[in-house]
Amino acid sequence: MASQEELFASVDALLHEEPQLPLPTERARLREEAGITQARLAQVLKTTPQTVKNWENGRSEPRPPRLEAYQRLLEGWAAKYPKTTPAASAAPAPSPASEPVADISPAQAPAPAPKTPAASPEPSATRDPARRPARTAARTAAPAAVADPRFPHGPLVVLDGDGTAHGVGGIVLDCPAATVPELVEWTLREAGLGAGRLHRHGKDADPLVVLTREAAVRLGLPERLADRRGLRLEEGHPVLKQLARAKWKLTRRGFGPWARVYRPAERGERQCVQLAVVPWDAFDARAWPGVEGMGPAELARVLGVYAQRVLTPRGSTAVSGLELMTALRPPTRAVRDAATGGWVSGYNPGSLGTAAVDPAPPEAPAEHPVARDWEGGFLDEEAYQWVRDVDLLTGEEASLPWAVGLDVNTAFLAAASRLTVGLSAPEHVVRPVFDPKIPGCWLVDLSHVDVDPRLPSPFTPSGVRPSGPAWYETRTVAYAQELGWNVTPSQAYLRRATGAYLDPWHDRLRTAYVDTMADLGVTAGLDDTALLAAMEHHKDTDPAMAAVLAAVKATVKGGVGKLRERPQGRHYRDGERWPALERPTWRPDIRAAVIAKARVTMHRKMANMAAATGLFPLAVLSDCVVYPSPGRSPLDFLPYSTSGKPLPGVFRIGVTPGLCKVEGVQSMAWAVDLMEEGANPARHIKGDGHDAALDEGE
């Protein structure tokens, strides 16, 4: 038997062992409660996001000195965010009256186990509405791993004209529905479709059914919408009558290319199905290149990858980009009511909340009611459209044979990283002291700031030097201060409550972009020469993944643009409010912050390039910059150290957001001719007949 001294020695040794951390799932919960991303936590603890991910899934444990710091942080969060009961996390959050409101997806009903093709019922038996089976047969040779057992058949299906629903991972379901109401019932009761929430306080994704041309006709829908302006099914159409008789409702958008069919929630169960009609241009060819020509199985693959990496599509890529922000930063969470002890819906820290906030007059577009009779000027934070004066070209530059266009990968997404934005309403301040940490807009004169005329001004989208006082977003004014100039704003509209609202959005889309590029053979491990070679043909590697890549990029641009959605529709009248203004995510100030940071970052890199190499750009269009070059490759003019590493602070070749790839190569004579005509070489540098568009995000 052990002596008392031996036992005490063992206890003392235990007390001096390394700190014990919460379980991995609890670590992740505490971080999410605090509204901190894995990337942000990695930055604080001086490690990598993958390491933090490993800590939260149990693959590895932190070691000193990070162990003690991590434990200290978790203990602080645990005191601030105590673990709630299951009833608390299930408390529903308030939703607009026009939308389904429950948190829980109806697809939790038991779904049939997948069967082999041989075990499936005969087509004649399964596709006759009068003999519809109680359950749906699922056919797949190798079912994909199910992340959420409540949704065994994934987030979506693509329905063909024979009643076959093609799902993610090769799953094939027999759909006996002959009408739209029957399709909705089948989707909710039998199909086993849906996706889990992206945040513990968020909502599960509604199931998506994509209708091919043949499927739409089979269900009684027209091949083409007669209303080409409103893109809605006309009043009195038989399908609308069928839905009304079955007591199904549509949102205010009606039955268009993206239709949401729902009933009010019952016993906390959400009853909503999203429909996308392919022949009605549900998938814009600019955002989803090639999908209209894909077969149902291939289309299901494309949409399934997008759903897994981004979210289940809920409309255009712009709509999905905005919805992703809310899915990752839900406006509410369950909190304990101190008076009653019960659970109620409360504000979720770090989110935009549930109430729409009007902008300051200079932040608003001219159509906004707060801008009526406003004569104090407007914020003009837009992307670059600049061409250097051809008279400023030197003979040495003009003698170079090539003009090479560099494209910054997802420049707006890179700008969203670690971007502090305002979470509250603007506050007007007279004669403020400039603080680069406070988001807002400032009235200040930057016309005295001198920059080389061979570079665009960093303060205007046109690149022309400002002529007097104007409104600028915080990042633009901070850059003037960074350049060593004194800034003395006369007034400002500032937001005191701040946060990195876009961080989770950035992190998820960045991962989606990098993973999809890897599927196309372009990985971060390639050296610059190999990466440029891989980029030349990456879109031909896999057309399906190329479509996903285009959709991810369109989600970034469109999501930023939706933050300042302008009036739409023939019913709008000047001076009226429009529906988008009632969204908490209608935030032109956040859009301005993203674009201002992207433009300032572009200027900083151009200035660093000039300092390091003496090279100046010929033209800039948003995220594309054109340089004169002695060769056809950017490696012929980008600066590298003697050890072969890219110099810091300049344009660099790479696959991640913020790094560069080749946009196009043309002769220098071609570029000079365009400059003399007043045209922008950056717009036409691709030379494939598809001119680059300005990334306004509208």
PDB file of all heavy atoms in Angstrom, residues 525-541:
ATOM      1  N   GLY A 525       1.487  25.142 -53.610  1.00  0.00           N
ATOM      2  CA  GLY A 525       2.825  24.570 -53.571  1.00  0.00           C
ATOM      3  C   GLY A 525       3.630  24.746 -54.844  1.00  0.00           C
ATOM      4  O   GLY A 525       4.831  24.454 -54.863  1.00  0.00           O
ATOM      5  N   LEU A 526       3.000  25.225 -55.911  1.00  0.00           N
ATOM      6  CA  LEU A 526       3.712  25.397 -57.174  1.00  0.00           C
ATOM      7  C   LEU A 526       4.615  26.626 -57.120  1.00  0.00           C
ATOM      8  O   LEU A 526       4.256  27.641 -56.514  1.00  0.00           O
ATOM      9  CB  LEU A 526       2.715  25.557 -58.325  1.00  0.00           C
ATOM     10  CG  LEU A 526       1.774  24.378 -58.598  1.00  0.00           C
ATOM     11  CD1 LEU A 526       0.766  24.763 -59.678  1.00  0.00           C
ATOM     12  CD2 LEU A 526       2.561  23.140 -59.025  1.00  0.00           C
ATOM     13  N   ASP A 527       5.793  26.537 -57.776  1.00  0.00           N
ATOM     14  CA  ASP A 527       6.598  27.744 -57.895  1.00  0.00           C
ATOM     15  C   ASP A 527       5.971  28.651 -58.950  1.00  0.00           C
ATOM     16  O   ASP A 527       5.031  28.270 -59.645  1.00  0.00           O
ATOM     17  CB  ASP A 527       8.055  27.416 -58.224  1.00  0.00           C
ATOM     18  CG  ASP A 527       8.235  26.692 -59.563  1.00  0.00           C
ATOM     19  OD1 ASP A 527       7.470  26.965 -60.505  1.00  0.00           O
ATOM     20  OD2 ASP A 527       9.147  25.851 -59.661  1.00  0.00           O
ATOM     21  N   ASP A 528       6.494  29.868 -59.072  1.00  0.00           N
ATOM     22  CA  ASP A 528       5.854  30.866 -59.934  1.00  0.00           C
ATOM     23  C   ASP A 528       5.761  30.408 -61.385  1.00  0.00           C
ATOM     24  O   ASP A 528       4.742  30.607 -62.060  1.00  0.00           O
ATOM     25  CB  ASP A 528       6.602  32.190 -59.848  1.00  0.00           C
ATOM     26  CG  ASP A 528       6.398  32.876 -58.507  1.00  0.00           C
ATOM     27  OD1 ASP A 528       5.628  32.352 -57.687  1.00  0.00           O
ATOM     28  OD2 ASP A 528       7.023  33.941 -58.280  1.00  0.00           O
ATOM     29  N   THR A 529       6.834  29.785 -61.880  1.00  0.00           N
ATOM     30  CA  THR A 529       6.837  29.340 -63.277  1.00  0.00           C
ATOM     31  C   THR A 529       5.790  28.260 -63.507  1.00  0.00           C
ATOM     32  O   THR A 529       5.018  28.310 -64.479  1.00  0.00           O
ATOM     33  CB  THR A 529       8.229  28.813 -63.663  1.00  0.00           C
ATOM     34  OG1 THR A 529       9.194  29.848 -63.461  1.00  0.00           O
ATOM     35  CG2 THR A 529       8.258  28.375 -65.117  1.00  0.00           C
ATOM     36  N   ALA A 530       5.753  27.275 -62.595  1.00  0.00           N
ATOM     37  CA  ALA A 530       4.781  26.190 -62.727  1.00  0.00           C
ATOM     38  C   ALA A 530       3.361  26.698 -62.543  1.00  0.00           C
ATOM     39  O   ALA A 530       2.430  26.236 -63.219  1.00  0.00           O
ATOM     40  CB  ALA A 530       5.088  25.093 -61.710  1.00  0.00           C
ATOM     41  N   LEU A 531       3.170  27.662 -61.645  1.00  0.00           N
ATOM     42  CA  LEU A 531       1.826  28.192 -61.412  1.00  0.00           C
ATOM     43  C   LEU A 531       1.316  28.925 -62.647  1.00  0.00           C
ATOM     44  O   LEU A 531       0.152  28.764 -63.043  1.00  0.00           O
ATOM     45  CB  LEU A 531       1.836  29.119 -60.196  1.00  0.00           C
ATOM     46  CG  LEU A 531       0.450  29.567 -59.714  1.00  0.00           C
ATOM     47  CD1 LEU A 531       0.389  29.594 -58.197  1.00  0.00           C
ATOM     48  CD2 LEU A 531       0.097  30.945 -60.257  1.00  0.00           C
ATOM     49  N   LEU A 532       2.178  29.731 -63.270  1.00  0.00           N
ATOM     50  CA  LEU A 532       1.762  30.434 -64.481  1.00  0.00           C
ATOM     51  C   LEU A 532       1.414  29.455 -65.593  1.00  0.00           C
ATOM     52  O   LEU A 532       0.452  29.663 -66.347  1.00  0.00           O
ATOM     53  CB  LEU A 532       2.866  31.385 -64.937  1.00  0.00           C
ATOM     54  CG  LEU A 532       3.090  32.624 -64.055  1.00  0.00           C
ATOM     55  CD1 LEU A 532       4.320  33.389 -64.520  1.00  0.00           C
ATOM     56  CD2 LEU A 532       1.865  33.533 -64.060  1.00  0.00           C
ATOM     57  N   ALA A 533       2.159  28.366 -65.684  1.00  0.00           N
ATOM     58  CA  ALA A 533       1.866  27.347 -66.696  1.00  0.00           C
ATOM     59  C   ALA A 533       0.537  26.669 -66.408  1.00  0.00           C
ATOM     60  O   ALA A 533      -0.268  26.416 -67.321  1.00  0.00           O
ATOM     61  CB  ALA A 533       2.998  26.327 -66.740  1.00  0.00           C
ATOM     62  N   ALA A 534       0.282  26.367 -65.135  1.00  0.00           N
ATOM     63  CA  ALA A 534      -0.981  25.720 -64.774  1.00  0.00           C
ATOM     64  C   ALA A 534      -2.160  26.651 -65.022  1.00  0.00           C
ATOM     65  O   ALA A 534      -3.250  26.205 -65.411  1.00  0.00           O
ATOM     66  CB  ALA A 534      -0.945  25.293 -63.304  1.00  0.00           C
ATOM     67  N   MET A 535      -1.969  27.961 -64.812  1.00  0.00           N
ATOM     68  CA  MET A 535      -3.056  28.918 -64.995  1.00  0.00           C
ATOM     69  C   MET A 535      -3.462  29.062 -66.456  1.00  0.00           C
ATOM     70  O   MET A 535      -4.599  29.432 -66.749  1.00  0.00           O
ATOM     71  CB  MET A 535      -2.648  30.281 -64.446  1.00  0.00           C
ATOM     72  CG  MET A 535      -2.698  30.407 -62.946  1.00  0.00           C
ATOM     73  SD  MET A 535      -4.359  30.182 -62.261  1.00  0.00           S
ATOM     74  CE  MET A 535      -5.250  31.469 -63.121  1.00  0.00           C
ATOM     75  N   GLU A 536      -2.566  28.773 -67.384  1.00  0.00           N
ATOM     76  CA  GLU A 536      -2.876  28.956 -68.798  1.00  0.00           C
ATOM     77  C   GLU A 536      -4.025  28.065 -69.254  1.00  0.00           C
ATOM     78  O   GLU A 536      -4.790  28.434 -70.147  1.00  0.00           O
ATOM     79  CB  GLU A 536      -1.633  28.678 -69.645  1.00  0.00           C
ATOM     80  CG  GLU A 536      -0.579  29.767 -69.572  1.00  0.00           C
ATOM     81  CD  GLU A 536       0.566  29.507 -70.526  1.00  0.00           C
ATOM     82  OE1 GLU A 536       0.423  28.615 -71.399  1.00  0.00           O
ATOM     83  OE2 GLU A 536       1.608  30.173 -70.417  1.00  0.00           O
ATOM     84  N   HIS A 537      -4.160  26.886 -68.638  1.00  0.00           N
ATOM     85  CA  HIS A 537      -5.164  25.932 -69.115  1.00  0.00           C
ATOM     86  C   HIS A 537      -6.055  25.407 -67.981  1.00  0.00           C
ATOM     87  O   HIS A 537      -6.721  24.391 -68.155  1.00  0.00           O
ATOM     88  CB  HIS A 537      -4.472  24.743 -69.805  1.00  0.00           C
ATOM     89  CG  HIS A 537      -3.518  25.143 -70.890  1.00  0.00           C
ATOM     90  ND1 HIS A 537      -3.948  25.694 -72.085  1.00  0.00           N
ATOM     91  CD2 HIS A 537      -2.160  25.113 -70.946  1.00  0.00           C
ATOM     92  CE1 HIS A 537      -2.898  25.963 -72.847  1.00  0.00           C
ATOM     93  NE2 HIS A 537      -1.800  25.629 -72.187  1.00  0.00           N
ATOM     94  N   HIS A 538      -6.065  26.095 -66.843  1.00  0.00           N
ATOM     95  CA  HIS A 538      -6.785  25.520 -65.701  1.00  0.00           C
ATOM     96  C   HIS A 538      -8.282  25.406 -65.948  1.00  0.00           C
ATOM     97  O   HIS A 538      -8.922  24.455 -65.479  1.00  0.00           O
ATOM     98  CB  HIS A 538      -6.515  26.336 -64.431  1.00  0.00           C
ATOM     99  CG  HIS A 538      -7.206  27.662 -64.381  1.00  0.00           C
ATOM    100  ND1 HIS A 538      -6.826  28.744 -65.149  1.00  0.00           N
ATOM    101  CD2 HIS A 538      -8.268  28.086 -63.634  1.00  0.00           C
ATOM    102  CE1 HIS A 538      -7.613  29.766 -64.886  1.00  0.00           C
ATOM    103  NE2 HIS A 538      -8.499  29.406 -63.976  1.00  0.00           N
ATOM    104  N   LYS A 539      -8.866  26.328 -66.729  1.00  0.00           N
ATOM    105  CA  LYS A 539     -10.312  26.265 -66.957  1.00  0.00           C
ATOM    106  C   LYS A 539     -10.707  25.108 -67.868  1.00  0.00           C
ATOM    107  O   LYS A 539     -11.872  24.716 -67.910  1.00  0.00           O
ATOM    108  CB  LYS A 539     -10.808  27.588 -67.536  1.00  0.00           C
ATOM    109  CG  LYS A 539     -10.702  28.752 -66.555  1.00  0.00           C
ATOM    110  CD  LYS A 539     -11.267  30.032 -67.142  1.00  0.00           C
ATOM    111  CE  LYS A 539     -11.155  31.186 -66.155  1.00  0.00           C
ATOM    112  NZ  LYS A 539     -11.681  32.452 -66.725  1.00  0.00           N
ATOM    113  N   ASP A 540      -9.740  24.575 -68.620  1.00  0.00           N
ATOM    114  CA  ASP A 540     -10.031  23.444 -69.504  1.00  0.00           C
ATOM    115  C   ASP A 540      -9.876  22.111 -68.790  1.00  0.00           C
ATOM    116  O   ASP A 540     -10.238  21.070 -69.332  1.00  0.00           O
ATOM    117  CB  ASP A 540      -9.085  23.478 -70.715  1.00  0.00           C
ATOM    118  CG  ASP A 540      -9.200  24.786 -71.494  1.00  0.00           C
ATOM    119  OD1 ASP A 540     -10.316  25.326 -71.554  1.00  0.00           O
ATOM    120  OD2 ASP A 540      -8.172  25.263 -72.012  1.00  0.00           O
ATOM    121  N   THR A 541      -9.315  22.124 -67.570  1.00  0.00           N
ATOM    122  CA  THR A 541      -9.064  20.879 -66.841  1.00  0.00           C
ATOM    123  C   THR A 541     -10.351  20.168 -66.489  1.00  0.00           C
ATOM    124  O   THR A 541     -10.484  18.957 -66.654  1.00  0.00           O
ATOM    125  CB  THR A 541      -8.262  21.184 -65.550  1.00  0.00           C
ATOM    126  OG1 THR A 541      -7.060  21.856 -65.894  1.00  0.00           O
ATOM    127  CG2 THR A 541      -7.945  19.905 -64.792  1.00  0.00           C
TER     128      THR A 541
END
